[in-house]
Amino acid sequence: MPICFDLDGTLGHFSSGFVLLREALGALWGATPTVEQLRLCQGSTDWEIVDDLHRMRFGRDLDEAGYAAYEDACVARFRVTFAPGAQQALRFEGVLEGMHRLAATRQVWLVSGNAPGLLAFKAEALGVDPSIPRLGSLPRHDRAGLLKRALGGGPGPHLYVGDRPHDLLAAQAAGMPFVCIGEAVPGTHPSLAPDAEAEHLVAAVEASLLEHS
């Protein structure tokens, strides 16, 4: 019964993420996507967003080679921006510790809309235990598809911890209960502040799993 965690806004925060994404694409494509174009994108994963932007720019779908080029360019920009001694990510210490406590007794996955290489960099920067498996944005997968891939058809109950409305929608599409970090997703699901203590996260997750078992 995997417990899946989003990364951005759930375990911590990397400022300027969309700025770096746009800069990476500008260097690759010769023109930087505008904020307005970014707002027109329908999905929440890197594959979906970059595919939409590629279609706007070139009138055709993104291919896997183009996605790999974006991934490399974006990771390079993040490595420079968040190098030691430069800008630092904000860690949600209690949430991270709570995830690690859960991983000691349960199956925990990191399932994110970031491209796999970018997810690996961010997870390392936040200090996520390397033994926790990571699943980043894959071609032709939306966020719900990534969650279903992580679940692998195994028995539930499963659970997704996220921070945005698209995380809740993906959890619902994958048939998973949801725990929210922050206040951006109203509803009856449990919600915790980003500065919540580890034991509060563990208690909320365990209670939700028990309720849906």
Side-chain angles (χ1 to χ4, degrees):
M1 56 172 73
I3 303 168
C4 299
F5 281 78
D6 176 47
L7 186 141
D8 291 295
T10 300
L11 302 179
H13 179 69
F14 290 78
S15 61
S16 307
F18 280 123
V19 173
L20 298 177
L21 179 153
R22 291 171 54 232
E23 289 177 353
L25 292 179
L28 289 171
W29 296 351
T32 302
T34 66
V35 173
E36 290 72 22
Q37 288 174 322
L38 193 60
R39 288 173 178 161
L40 291 173
C41 296
Q42 298 298 307
S44 68
T45 69
D46 277 9
W47 167 263
E48 293 174 301
I49 292 167
V50 178
D51 185 34
D52 279 349
L53 293 173
H54 190 274
R55 203 174 294 109
M56 294 177 205
R57 176 80 172 91
F58 299 105
R60 63 181 186 276
D61 294 346
L62 180 70
D63 60 21
E64 294 189 17
Y67 185 51
Y70 153 75
E71 180 178 11
D72 290 344
C74 203
V75 169
R77 273 178 158 68
F78 267 84
R79 287 194 179 280
V80 171
T81 302
F82 292 95
Q87 188 172 329
Q88 297 299 303
L90 174 64
R91 291 165 42 93
F92 298 162
E93 300 288 354
V95 178
L96 282 160
E97 175 60 24
M99 179 183 68
H100 289 147
R101 290 186 190 181
L102 288 165
T105 58
R106 295 184 178 273
Q107 186 178 7
V108 168
W109 276 75
L110 194 57
V111 180
S112 164
N114 290 288
L118 186 55
L119 175 58
F121 169 78
K122 289 184 174 181
E124 182 180 1
L126 291 177
V128 174
D129 187 332
S131 68
I132 294 176
R134 296 96 191 269
L135 182 58
S137 176
L138 300 175
R140 290 167 287 280
H141 284 67
D142 60 11
R143 190 175 295 265
L146 295 174
L147 288 172
K148 291 175 183 177
R149 188 176 179 120
L151 301 184
H158 312 294
L159 186 139
Y160 192 34
V161 182
D163 70 298
R164 305 296 297 174
H166 58 238
D167 296 324
L168 172 60
L169 292 174
Q172 291 172 335
M176 305 168 70
F178 180 71
V179 170
C180 183
I181 303 300
E183 301 178 348
V185 191
T188 58
H189 48 264
S191 294
L192 299 169
D195 61 355
E197 300 292 337
E199 55 266 28
H200 297 154
L201 173 66
V202 172
V205 167
E206 295 287 3
S208 185
L209 289 171
L210 180 62
E211 178 184 351
H212 291 89
S213 62

